[in-house]
Amino acid sequence: MASNSNSELSVPVTEQRELLHAMMQHCREMKRQETCSRLVTGFLLLSLFATFLLVQVSGDTNKKAASERPQMSMGQVQAQVQAQVQAQVQAQAQAQAQNKTRSARRRSIHLLINHEQPMVLINDSYVLRWLSQKKFKKLQLRDNNTTVFISKKGLYLVNLKISYRVPDAKCPCINNPGESKDEEGGESIPCPLQVSIQQHNGNYEGWRNVATAIETMLCTVDTFHTITLNRVVELEESTMLIVTIASQNKQLISSNHYDYFEVTRL
């Protein structure tokens, strides 16, 4: 009887031990989960707090920058607007000036004197020859590069610059060598110079003067002289322009590369 009772008591004790062991394991797992939950919750709270601090700092920085930015008065705003308007007006004026310059270039012909063969004899007149670097539609260079042809009626500005220089040899203006000498033995008599711009049209016969210059220079070796002519004239359609010089001046034409004949339609 005693042995049976002991065996019956040992069974509950074993079951109690297993139950106690299971409860302890369950407690350990619950404790681990609770710890993880606390860690996760703490991490989330820390992240939210850091985000809050970042937003506060950013807002303070923007407010500080806005407060430090100089405030413009009404007068300063008006001055700034006026400056912008003036800048736009100046830009438009420059663009218009450039357009006018391009338009003037299209209506103008600029010719340089041909120093290889500066003149030709036409009807007892020495006519200057020119060089053109461009081709122009309304203003053309014709007749062996001696004539500027005007294709359209209107007002034109003609400009001429011609240089003279006494050569190393005898001055061509002296008819009697040795008649007049300076202190160094060189000829010093005045030499007359004449240059003319002439026009011709089918409505009349012959050539008519547009502008003429008559000046003098001392007939001394290496003497240099320049004549300029400027004139605004109304020209008919199909008008021809030439430049003539006096016959006694043909040997005095300088080799200056800046001599020119320019015609511009206004």
Side-chain angles (χ1 to χ4, degrees), residues 76 141 266:
Q76 291 176 339
L141 188 60
L266 302 178

Side-chain angles (χ1 to χ4, degrees), residues 206-245:
W207 292 84
R208 296 181 178 180
N209 280 337
V210 175
T212 300
I214 300 176
E215 299 182 11
T216 59
M217 65 181 293
L218 291 179
C219 203
T220 304
V221 175
D222 290 334
T223 299
F224 188 84
H225 188 81
T226 299
I227 294 179
T228 57
L229 279 174
N230 302 281
R231 186 67 54 88
V232 175
V233 60
E234 184 175 3
L235 299 176
E236 298 291 333
E237 181 180 352
S238 301
T239 296
M240 295 179 290
L241 296 177
I242 61 173
V243 178
T244 63
I245 63 171

Side-chain angles (χ1 to χ4, degrees), residues 1-162:
M1 293 291 291
S3 61
N4 291 333
S5 60
N6 291 333
S7 61
E8 291 177 356
L9 291 174
S10 63
V11 173
V13 172
T14 303
E15 293 178 354
Q16 290 178 359
R17 289 179 179 176
E18 292 178 354
L19 181 60
L20 179 61
H21 182 71
M23 289 179 63
M24 291 177 66
Q25 289 182 349
H26 179 70
C27 290
R28 291 193 187 98
E29 291 177 359
M30 292 295 294
K31 189 173 182 179
R32 290 176 183 174
Q33 292 179 359
E34 183 179 1
T35 303
C36 292
S37 298
R38 289 179 180 177
L39 290 175
V40 171
T41 303
F43 179 75
L44 291 175
L45 291 174
L46 183 61
S47 299
L48 291 174
F49 181 71
T51 303
F52 175 76
L53 290 178
L54 181 62
V55 171
Q56 291 294 325
V57 172
S58 177
D60 293 339
T61 303
N62 293 334
K63 291 180 180 179
K64 184 178 180 181
S67 63
E68 293 178 352
R69 186 178 304 165
Q71 299 296 326
M72 297 181 64
S73 63
M74 184 61 66
Q76 291 176 339
V77 172
Q78 292 178 353
Q80 184 175 6
V81 172
Q82 291 179 357
Q84 293 177 355
V85 171
Q86 290 178 357
Q88 293 178 356
V89 171
Q90 290 178 357
Q92 292 177 357
Q94 290 178 356
Q96 292 177 357
Q98 291 177 356
N99 292 333
K100 289 182 180 179
T101 302
R102 296 190 187 99
S103 178
R105 289 176 180 175
R106 289 193 295 267
R107 297 180 299 178
S108 176
I109 184 171
H110 185 84
L111 306 173
L112 301 178
I113 193 168
N114 187 343
H115 291 290
E116 294 182 359
Q117 188 180 357
M119 68 197 75
V120 292
L121 182 62
I122 302 177
N123 298 329
D124 298 330
S125 298
Y126 285 93
V127 182
L128 297 183
R129 298 180 71 245
W130 307 98
L131 294 175
S132 176
Q133 298 178 352
K134 298 181 180 179
K135 293 183 178 180
F136 303 85
K137 295 181 180 179
K138 297 182 180 180
L139 299 172
Q140 302 175 8
L141 188 60
R142 296 183 176 181
D143 299 334
N144 196 18
N145 294 345
T146 60
T147 305
V148 176
F149 181 77
I150 307 297
S151 62
K152 190 173 182 180
K153 178 181 178 180
L155 284 176
Y156 289 83
L157 172 64
V158 291
N159 294 289
L160 176 68
K161 177 178 176 292
I162 296 296

